[in-house]
């Protein structure tokens, strides 16, 4: 009976399976159908092209071609078949738009890596022979142009063939075909002396074509030929100049470029003035022609003309000076002989008073264009450009005026008044450009008092960028009189009272003014310091910003003029000592031998500092002692190097780098000496926590070595990364052996670092250290790099490894640093705002020697331990040194000026919040946390600033 029941149960179970089976197959079939509908990568394009044969209408064919271009995946063996089918469809297609799309698709196919470009070009040429559509021929020429650029220059025969094809289709009536053919001629004409004249003659014959687009392309082709090395004939200058009167701005723009090119290429060629036998230099005439473009009807042409003028530095001074005067100067006219004057009177054909022939004829009739050496439209070109209604023209005119002034001191003095007038422009960017231009030409000019008064009037500008630009400009310029200097200082002090945020910029400005004008500062010292010959004046407050400005001015002047020092009062000398300690960058070192004060120690020489550094490193490398002695030596060396970095700024970066490297070695040695890292599961809670903290500190030291220093040599970078690799190996072993978190991400990160390290060492030609060599060797033999297997390999390598050598001193190394200037954190009052709302706090900081400015973050830590991380806007990060070109090797010096938005709920009393600047290191987040949160790893660049904040509760309305 039991056997029967068992059989029945099995039968029922099997029946249920057969009943449910079709239901389960339905989604499987659908998935398979979806997979079949997706074309396989190989031959997918060929399959789509096969669908062209089944297309009944041109619209269907066009849609198919669009699908092909969107999903273009080629196999090298399918290319000939694809070309054949596309060519066949091209020959049988009646719609021109489809043929255009086929030619465009052939261009895309030709740009694939496996395509035969020459074969495709030949196929296109054969297809175009029997085609009469202008659109199709224009697209064919465009395809030939693009594909021809992929052929090497050595294939002269192919390029010559393309040029011949272009010459053939130049007879086409369509402007699009003509333009593409001219472009082909300009790009693909071979550099042969025998063909140069014929090609230039052919292209120049289209200068007077009836279509403006063809004329424009003909001039552009001439420019392209010149850029490729063709020697242009300067005789075409006359024909080119006539085209400046063209009705279309696209032609006039290209003609201006060609005139500029001819003028700079053949500056000393002599040409005849139209209507006379007088000759002038080609560069001078070209300069006059381009000046005429400043008064063109088109804004684009005026902007281009204003830009081109700045690069024409070979022009004669009389032509250059004429651009600043709207009236034609007398020396710009051709002097006529008495015979010519008499002949004009005889040929005038009019009677007047009888005393002289043609004495009442209009001046315009007598002074024809043939008399002027320079077109009257070119007179006052820069005046017109600076008064233009469009800011693009004014901005370009200011730039060109600055460029020309840099090479001509006389012209720079002439242009000074015009640049000063631009300080009152309505557009801020134009004002800033004028200010920077005046700063750049400051070496050639001396400011008069009237000019200085106009400049100082711009200090009332609301824009902080404009005010600081004026500070930089005043710091670079020279003043002519004592009255002007006094007026400048008084205006700066008044401006500082109105805008206290300009304090640092004003300090820097007065520092440079004092250093540049010591002889003008000397007679003003008693007046500035209120020194009375008979009475004692109350001692000023050394914390007063206005008084600090005066001291900075006088002390920097005393650096270059020691006769100022005896005029100083005793309290002024004490204030100098205070400012020298607190504001080292603004106050110089003065030799006050007659006054007993603690003098500032002279900086050490770079050679002695480097010798000390080398001795420290050599002694550590030679030492073979116990762990306790070696640790003591490392600690002592670290302290000495930190002290050296504070003493000698020349080697501060190297000393800080070496000290940080030694600190990382100390942490690593302590971890290895205790030996707990091999089996952290057996440790007590406190010991495990200490081990985890030590490993995190070690990784943080490695990140600082990698991201806090600029100017590292390839050997230094590899040494840091190899030490980082050792720390990552130690961290991986700890996670596998003593943590419950997943080790897949840290293991993958470690293996990626190993691969990158191997590539970098081979690229730099450097040998790896013993640890890295062992890791390379062992990992190359592992079959499946799982975390457990990798950690078992790493444990003996880490145990046997020794501490690597310390990198040699490198003077080019600098450490990233940050200094928060505002808020100062020294105020006794608390900032109050309504709880739940937002309060804005002005923030200013100077960051130096940054490796990557995009990593900068502002970190705000509230009393409840919540942290807010702010990403500064790029517009708020401006360079500190405007004239210095900064690179990644030298580091970026940046001024960060922004507003911090602070918000919190109600507190019972006022508390401090910490504001700090840090670098974001997203590379360090892999495997560092069990739960990845939004906060990145942040490394502090400076000590936090504390400000007191008191959120007030919301006041309820009385009526509520």
């Amino acid at each position: 009976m039991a056997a029967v029941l068992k059989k029945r149960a099995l039968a029922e179970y099997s029946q249920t399976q057969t009943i449910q089976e079709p239901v389960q197959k339905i989604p499987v079939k659908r998935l398979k159908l979806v997979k079949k509908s997706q074309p396989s990568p190989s031959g997918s394009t060929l399959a789509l092209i096969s669908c062209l044969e089944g297309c009944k209408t041109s619209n269907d064919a066009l849609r198919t071609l669009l699908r092909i271009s969107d999903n273009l995946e080629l196999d090298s063996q399918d290319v000939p078949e694809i070309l054949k089918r596309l060519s066949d469809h091209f020959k049988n297609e009646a719609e021109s738009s489809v043929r255009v799309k086929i030619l465009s698709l052939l261009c895309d196919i030709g740009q694939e890596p496996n395509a035969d470009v020459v074969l495709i070009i030949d196929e296109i040429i054969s297809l175009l022979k029997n085609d009469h559509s202008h659109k199709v021929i224009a697209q064919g020429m465009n395809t030939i142009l693009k594909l021809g650029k992929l052929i090497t220059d050595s294939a002269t025969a192919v390029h010559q063939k393309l040029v011949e094809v272009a010459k053939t289709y130049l007879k086409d009536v369509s402007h699009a075909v003509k333009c593409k053919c001219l472009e082909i001629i300009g790009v693909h004409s071979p550099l042969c002396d025998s063909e140069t004249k014929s090609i230039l003659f052919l292209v120049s014959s289209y200068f007077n074509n009836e279509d403006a687009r063809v004329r424009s392309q003909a001039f552009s082709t001439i420019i392209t030929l010149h850029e490729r090395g063709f020697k242009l004939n300067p005789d075409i200058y006359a024909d080119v100049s006539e085209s400046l009167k063209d009705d279309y701005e696209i032609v006039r723009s290209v003609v201006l470029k060609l005139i500029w090119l001819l003028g700079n290429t053949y500056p000393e060629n002599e040409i005849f003035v139209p209507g006379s036998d007088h000759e002038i230099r080609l560069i001078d005439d070209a300069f006059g022609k381009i000046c005429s473009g400043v008064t063109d009807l088109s804004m684009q042409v005026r902007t281009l003309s204003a830009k081109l003028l700045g690069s024409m530095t070979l022009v004669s001074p009389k032509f250059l000076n004429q651009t600043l005067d709207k009236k034609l100067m007398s020396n710009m006219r051709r002097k006529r002989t008495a015979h010519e004057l008499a002949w004009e009177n005889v040929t005038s054909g009019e009677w007047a008073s009888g005393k002289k022939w043609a004495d009442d004829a209009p001046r315009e009739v007598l002074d024809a264009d043939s008399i002027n050496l320079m077109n009257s439209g070119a007179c006052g070109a820069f005046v017109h450009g600076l008064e233009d209604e469009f800011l693009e023209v004014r901005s370009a005119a200011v730039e060109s005026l600055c460029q020309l002034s840099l090479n001509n001191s006389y012209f720079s003095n002439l242009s000074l008044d015009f640049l000063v007038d631009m300080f009152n422009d309505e557009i801020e960017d134009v004002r800033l450009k004028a200010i920077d231009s005046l700063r750049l030409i400051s070496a050639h000019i001396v400011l008069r008092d009237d000019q200085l008064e106009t400049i100082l009037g711009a200090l009332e500008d609301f824009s902080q960028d404009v005010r600081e630009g004026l500070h930089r400009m005043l710091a670079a310029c020279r003043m002519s009189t004592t009255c002007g200097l006094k007026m400048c200082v008084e205006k700066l002090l008044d401006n500082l009272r109105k805008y206290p945020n300009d304090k640092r910029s004003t300090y820097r400005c007065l520092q440079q003014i004092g250093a540049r004008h010591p002889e003008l500062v000397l007679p003003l010292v008693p007046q500035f310091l209120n020194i009375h010959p008979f009475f004692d004046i109350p001692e000023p407050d050394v914390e007063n910003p206005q008084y600090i400005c005066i001291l900075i001015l006088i002390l920097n002047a005393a650096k270059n003029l020691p006769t100022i020092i005896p005029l100083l009062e005793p309290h002024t000398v004490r204030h100098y000592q205070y400012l020298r300690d607190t504001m080292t960058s603004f106050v110089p070192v003065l030799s006050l031998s007659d006054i007993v004060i603690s003098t500032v120690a002279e900086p050490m020489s770079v050679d002695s500092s480097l010798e000390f550094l080398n001795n420290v490193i050599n002694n550590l490398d030679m030492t073979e002692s116990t762990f306790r002695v070696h640790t003591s030596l490392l600690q002592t060396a670290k302290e000495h190097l930190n002290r050296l970095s504070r003493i000698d700024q020349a080697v501060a970066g190297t000393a800080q780098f070496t000290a940080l490297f030694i600190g990382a070695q100390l942490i690593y040695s302590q971890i290895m000496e205790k030996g707990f890292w091999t089996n952290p599961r057996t440790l007590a809670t406190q010991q495990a926590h200490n081990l985890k903290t030590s490993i995190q500190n070690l990784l943080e030291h490695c990140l600082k070595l990698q991201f806090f220093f600029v100017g590292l040599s390839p050997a230094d970078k590899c040494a840091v990364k190899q030490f980082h690799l050792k720390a990552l190996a130690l961290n991986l072993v700890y996670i596998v052996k003593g943590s419950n978190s997943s080790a897949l991400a840290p293991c993958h990160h470690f293996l990626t670092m190993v691969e990158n390290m191997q590539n970098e060492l081979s690229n730099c030609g450097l040998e790896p250290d013993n640890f890295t060599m062992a890791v390379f060797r062992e990992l190359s033999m592992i079959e499946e790099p799982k975390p457990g297997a990798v950690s078992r390999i790493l444990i003996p390598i880490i145990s046997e490894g020794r501490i690597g050598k310390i990198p040699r001193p490198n003077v080019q190394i600098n450490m990233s640093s940050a200094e928060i200037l505002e808020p100062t954190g020294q105020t006794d009052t608390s900032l109050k705002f309504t709880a739940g709302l937002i309060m804005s706090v002005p923030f200013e900081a100077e960051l130096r020697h940054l490796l990557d400015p995009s990593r900068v973050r502002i970190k705000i830590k509230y009393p409840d331990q919540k942290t807010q991380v702010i990403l500064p806007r790029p517009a708020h990060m401006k360079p500190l040194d405007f004239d210095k070109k900064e690179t990644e090797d030298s580091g970026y010096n940046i001024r960060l000026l922004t507003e911090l938005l602070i918000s919190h709920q109600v507190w019972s009393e006022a508390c401090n919040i910490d504001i700090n600047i840090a670098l974001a290191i997203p590379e360090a987040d892999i495997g560092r946390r069990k739960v990845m949160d939004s906060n990145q790893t942040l490394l502090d660049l400076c000590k936090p600033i504390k400000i007191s904040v008191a959120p007030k509760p919301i006041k309820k309305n009385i009526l509520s």
Side-chain angles (χ1 to χ4, degrees):
M1 188 67 184
V4 173
L5 290 174
K6 190 173 183 181
K7 285 183 180 181
R8 185 176 298 172
L10 289 172
E12 290 178 358
Y13 179 71
S14 62
Q15 286 177 3
T16 56
Q17 279 187 329
T18 56
I19 292 171
Q20 293 178 359
E21 189 174 3
V23 179
Q24 292 178 352
K25 285 184 178 180
I26 292 174
V28 175
K29 287 182 179 179
R30 288 178 181 173
L31 289 174
K32 287 183 179 180
L33 288 173
V34 171
K35 288 182 179 179
K36 286 181 180 179
S37 65
Q38 294 179 354
S40 59
S42 116
S44 60
T45 303
L46 185 60
L48 285 172
I49 289 177
S50 301
C51 298
L52 281 174
E53 300 174 358
C55 294
K56 297 180 180 179
T57 62
S58 298
N59 289 335
D60 295 339
L62 189 59
R63 280 194 290 268
T64 304
L65 290 171
L66 289 172
R67 285 181 59 195
I68 295 172
S69 61
D70 292 339
N71 306 299
L72 190 61
E73 296 177 0
L74 290 180
D75 197 351
S76 57
Q77 58 186 2
D78 295 337
V79 171
E81 183 65 22
I82 291 173
L83 291 178
K84 182 178 180 301
R85 296 194 181 189
L86 288 175
S87 300
D88 294 341
H89 191 82
F90 183 93
K91 296 173 183 176
N92 300 325
E93 180 61 50
E95 184 63 38
S96 61
S97 60
V98 179
R99 301 203 300 275
V100 167
K101 185 58 187 175
I102 291 175
L103 292 174
S104 175
L105 188 58
L106 289 175
C107 180
D108 296 337
I109 293 173
Q111 293 177 351
E112 292 292 324
N114 301 324
D116 188 352
V117 179
V118 178
L119 178 64
I120 296 175
I121 290 176
D122 292 339
E123 185 67 26
I124 292 172
I125 293 173
S126 63
L127 290 175
L128 294 177
K129 287 182 179 179
N130 300 321
D131 206 301
H132 302 287
S133 171
H134 301 306
K135 293 181 181 179
V136 177
I137 297 175
Q139 179 60 43
M141 293 295 106
N142 187 33
T143 303
I144 291 174
L145 173 66
K146 290 182 178 179
L147 295 181
K149 294 178 181 179
L150 303 177
I151 301 174
T152 58
D153 294 337
S154 58
T156 310
V158 179
H159 290 288
Q160 184 65 41
K161 181 180 179 181
L162 299 182
V163 173
E164 295 299 328
V165 172
K167 289 179 180 179
T168 303
Y169 286 98
L170 262 178
K171 303 172 185 177
D172 198 287
V173 296
S174 171
H175 70 87
V177 178
K178 289 179 183 293
C179 289
K180 288 300 175 183
C181 291
L182 288 171
E183 194 172 353
I184 291 174
I185 292 173
V187 173
H188 296 292
S189 294
L191 294 172
C192 302
D193 294 336
S194 58
E195 298 288 335
T196 301
K197 290 184 178 181
S198 60
I199 291 175
L200 291 176
F201 179 77
L202 174 65
V203 175
S204 60
S205 64
Y206 288 87
F207 286 174
N208 298 318
N209 193 274
E210 64 274 5
D211 195 294
R213 291 162 289 193
V214 178
R215 297 197 297 272
S216 175
Q217 184 57 53
F219 292 118
S220 298
T221 303
I222 294 292
I223 296 175
T224 304
L225 290 171
H226 174 77
E227 292 172 350
R228 293 184 56 226
F230 277 78
K231 187 176 181 181
L232 300 183
N233 187 357
D235 295 338
I236 66 172
Y237 177 79
D239 297 332
V240 173
S241 300
E242 288 296 322
S243 298
L244 280 176
K245 303 174 184 177
D246 200 284
D247 295 334
Y248 293 87
E249 65 177 76
I250 57 172
V251 180
R252 297 197 300 273
S253 298
V254 183
V255 168
L256 282 173
K257 294 179 184 178
L258 186 53
I259 288 176
W260 173 85
L261 190 66
L262 290 170
N264 286 327
T265 307
Y266 308 101
E268 301 301 330
N269 279 32
E270 297 286 340
I271 63 171
F272 288 99
V273 176
S276 72
D277 56 352
H278 189 78
E279 292 184 347
I280 62 171
R281 298 167 66 225
L282 180 59
I283 184 68
D284 294 338
D285 192 73
F287 186 78
K289 294 287 194 305
I290 295 176
C291 285
S292 302
V294 180
T295 57
D296 195 89
L297 293 176
S298 170
M299 184 270 290
Q300 287 80 6
V301 176
R302 297 200 300 273
T303 305
L304 177 63
S305 301
K307 285 181 180 178
L308 293 176
L309 290 177
S311 55
M312 303 185 74
T313 56
L314 299 176
V315 68
S316 301
K318 58 182 181 180
F319 284 87
L320 188 61
N321 299 338
Q322 183 63 57
T323 57
L324 297 176
D325 193 351
K326 288 185 178 180
K327 296 179 180 178
L328 197 62
M329 299 179 185
S330 60
N331 61 356
M332 295 297 294
R333 301 183 181 278
R334 183 174 60 87
K335 305 301 182 183
R336 291 170 293 174
T337 62
H339 179 74
E340 289 176 330
L341 292 172
W343 179 252
E344 285 183 3
N345 291 336
V346 172
T347 57
S348 62
E350 294 183 5
W351 289 88
S353 63
K355 296 181 180 179
K356 187 177 180 181
W357 285 100
D359 57 352
D360 61 345
R363 186 67 179 171
E364 289 77 8
V365 176
L366 294 178
D367 293 337
D369 289 340
S370 60
I371 301 175
N372 295 337
L373 300 186
M374 187 177 186
N375 194 339
S376 59
C379 300
F382 279 123
V383 180
H384 289 291
L386 295 175
E387 295 175 352
D388 198 275
E389 59 179 326
F390 289 95
L391 69 94
E392 292 87 353
V393 183
R394 299 199 302 274
S395 180
V398 169
E399 287 182 356
S400 295
L401 201 60
C402 175
Q403 293 175 12
L404 293 171
S405 300
L406 287 173
N407 301 312
N408 191 323
S409 58
Y410 180 74
F411 183 73
S412 63
N413 283 279
L414 286 179
S415 62
L416 178 58
D417 289 329
F418 297 93
L419 287 176
V420 171
D421 288 340
M422 296 305 294
F423 288 5
N424 299 319
D425 194 273
E426 60 184 0
I427 303 298
E428 181 180 335
D429 290 341
V430 179
R431 297 198 300 270
L432 278 173
K433 196 160 290 186
I435 290 168
D436 286 336
S437 299
L438 192 56
R439 176 177 59 86
L440 292 173
I441 66 173
S442 58
H444 302 292
I445 59 176
V446 177
L447 295 178
R448 302 191 309 269
D449 290 353
D450 59 323
Q451 295 168 338
L452 190 60
E453 187 175 358
T454 306
I455 292 171
L456 294 175
L459 278 173
E460 300 295 332
D461 199 297
F462 179 75
S463 172
Q464 186 174 0
D465 292 335
V466 173
R467 297 195 305 270
E468 293 183 353
L470 283 167
H471 291 163
R472 291 192 299 270
M473 187 270 297
L474 290 171
C477 291
R478 291 194 60 84
M479 302 170 197
S480 56
T481 63
T482 305
C483 295
L485 177 64
K486 180 184 176 184
M487 178 175 58
C488 177
V489 174
E490 290 176 349
K491 187 65 177 179
L492 287 172
L493 295 181
D494 292 340
N495 195 253
L496 182 60
R497 294 187 187 95
K498 189 175 181 180
Y499 301 104
N501 291 338
D502 295 350
K503 182 170 58 177
R504 300 278 296 187
S505 180
T506 307
Y507 290 168
R508 198 174 290 111
C509 174
L510 288 170
Q511 178 189 13
Q512 296 296 326
I513 290 176
R516 289 178 179 273
H517 307 86
E519 68 284 348
L520 299 181
V521 174
L522 176 61
L524 297 174
V525 171
Q527 188 174 353
F528 283 154
L529 294 178
N530 292 328
I531 300 175
H532 197 277
F534 307 117
F535 301 106
D536 284 338
I537 305 299
E539 180 177 334
D541 181 12
V542 74
E543 297 294 338
N544 185 4
Q546 281 75 21
Y547 178 61
I548 292 176
C549 288
I550 295 295
L551 285 182
I552 289 175
L553 173 76
I554 294 174
L555 294 175
N556 281 277
K559 175 71 175 178
N560 300 322
L561 193 64
T563 53
I564 296 177
I565 296 176
L567 300 177
L568 303 180
E569 295 284 326
H571 66 264
T572 307
V573 177
R574 292 197 308 272
H575 294 168
Y576 157 72
Q577 185 181 5
Y578 170 74
L579 292 180
R580 178 60 197 162
D581 291 336
T582 56
M583 305 173 64
T584 310
S585 58
F586 295 115
V587 179
V589 179
L590 300 179
S591 57
L592 307 176
S593 56
D594 298 335
I595 305 169
V596 180
I597 62 170
S598 57
T599 58
V600 181
E602 291 294 328
M604 300 170 59
S605 65
V606 178
D607 294 336
S608 59
S609 300
L610 281 177
E611 184 180 356
F612 176 77
L613 267 171
N614 279 314
N615 290 335
V616 170
I617 296 174
N618 291 332
N619 292 336
L620 290 176
D621 290 341
M622 293 171 57
T623 302
E624 294 183 2
S625 55
T626 62
F627 168 76
R628 186 181 299 275
V629 175
H630 190 64
T631 303
S632 176
L633 288 173
L634 287 175
Q635 188 66 38
T636 305
K638 179 182 175 183
E639 294 174 357
H640 288 336
L641 293 173
N642 285 329
R643 192 175 297 114
L644 177 64
S645 66
R646 293 190 293 270
I647 294 174
D648 191 357
Q649 291 298 320
V651 295
T654 308
Q656 290 165 337
F657 174 76
T658 309
L660 195 60
F661 199 93
I662 291 174
Q665 287 188 339
L666 269 171
I667 300 174
Y668 184 80
S669 301
Q670 292 169 0
I671 295 174
M672 297 300 296
E673 178 64 21
K674 294 178 181 178
F676 298 146
W677 62 275
T678 54
N679 196 5
R681 292 184 186 275
T682 60
L683 298 178
T685 305
Q686 184 62 33
Q687 291 175 325
H689 178 72
N690 292 340
L691 177 60
K692 182 180 179 181
T693 304
S694 298
I695 294 177
Q696 289 179 352
N697 289 338
L698 177 62
L699 289 172
E700 186 174 327
H701 272 66
C702 294
L703 291 173
K704 287 182 178 180
L705 287 169
Q706 193 169 349
F707 294 100
F708 271 26
F709 293 92
V710 296
L712 297 175
S713 65
D716 297 335
K717 293 179 182 178
C718 289
V720 169
K721 290 182 179 179
Q722 288 183 85
F723 194 84
H724 190 198
L725 194 67
K726 193 179 297 186
L728 287 175
L730 193 61
N731 182 49
L732 178 60
V733 173
Y734 168 75
I735 292 175
V736 173
K737 295 291 185 181
S739 174
N740 294 328
S741 59
S742 173
L744 289 175
C747 181
H748 178 71
H749 181 47
F750 174 75
L751 295 175
T752 305
M753 289 286 291
V754 170
E755 185 179 358
N756 294 339
M757 190 75 253
Q758 198 167 8
N759 294 333
E760 189 167 352
L761 287 171
S762 61
N763 293 335
C764 298
L766 299 173
E767 290 293 330
D769 59 13
N770 296 331
F771 172 82
T772 311
M773 180 71 76
V775 170
F776 290 164
R777 183 177 62 253
E778 295 295 333
L779 288 181
S780 63
M781 295 185 293
I782 191 172
E783 294 182 0
E784 193 173 357
K786 290 185 177 181
V790 174
S791 64
R792 285 193 295 271
I793 289 175
L794 291 176
I795 289 175
I797 299 177
I798 297 174
S799 302
E800 298 173 0
R802 296 181 56 188
I803 297 180
K805 292 186 177 181
I806 301 172
R808 297 286 104 184
N810 179 8
V811 189
Q812 304 299 325
I813 297 177
N814 287 296
M815 185 176 182
S816 303
S817 61
E819 181 184 2
I820 300 176
L821 307 176
E822 186 72 25
T824 58
Q826 298 176 354
T827 57
D828 297 331
T829 59
S830 299
L831 301 177
K832 297 180 181 180
F833 65 98
T834 303
L837 299 181
I838 295 174
M839 179 182 65
S840 175
V841 177
F843 183 83
E844 182 181 0
E846 291 183 357
L847 298 90
R848 298 185 181 275
H849 307 301
L850 289 180
L851 188 65
D852 184 5
S854 64
R855 295 179 179 271
V856 174
R857 303 290 186 271
I858 302 174
K859 188 169 67 172
I860 303 175
K861 189 174 183 181
Y862 294 95
D864 58 356
Q865 302 305 308
K866 289 184 179 179
T867 302
Q868 177 186 0
V869 180
I870 300 174
L871 173 63
R873 292 174 57 186
H876 294 168
M877 304 173 70
K878 299 177 182 178
L880 271 177
D881 305 318
F882 281 81
D883 296 331
K884 181 180 177 182
K885 187 177 181 181
E886 297 174 340
T887 59
E888 188 174 331
D889 294 333
S890 62
Y892 297 90
N893 298 327
I894 289 174
R895 181 193 180 205
L896 177 58
L897 186 64
T898 184
E899 297 279 337
L900 301 183
L901 302 180
I902 296 175
S903 179
H904 212 279
Q905 300 304 318
V906 180
W907 298 344
S908 59
E909 60 183 8
C911 297
N912 290 332
I913 64 173
D914 294 343
I915 301 177
N916 201 357
I917 298 178
L919 289 184
I921 314 294
E923 296 89 341
D925 291 329
I926 302 176
R928 290 287 298 275
R929 303 180 183 88
K930 294 180 182 179
V931 180
M932 298 294 291
D933 53 11
S934 59
N935 294 331
Q936 298 177 340
T937 298
L938 299 174
L939 302 180
D940 294 341
L941 278 173
C942 61
K943 293 181 180 180
I945 295 292
K946 296 182 181 295
I947 60 172
S948 180
V949 175
K952 299 182 298 182
I954 300 175
K955 292 182 179 180
K956 295 184 179 180
N957 195 342
I958 299 175
L959 300 177
S960 61

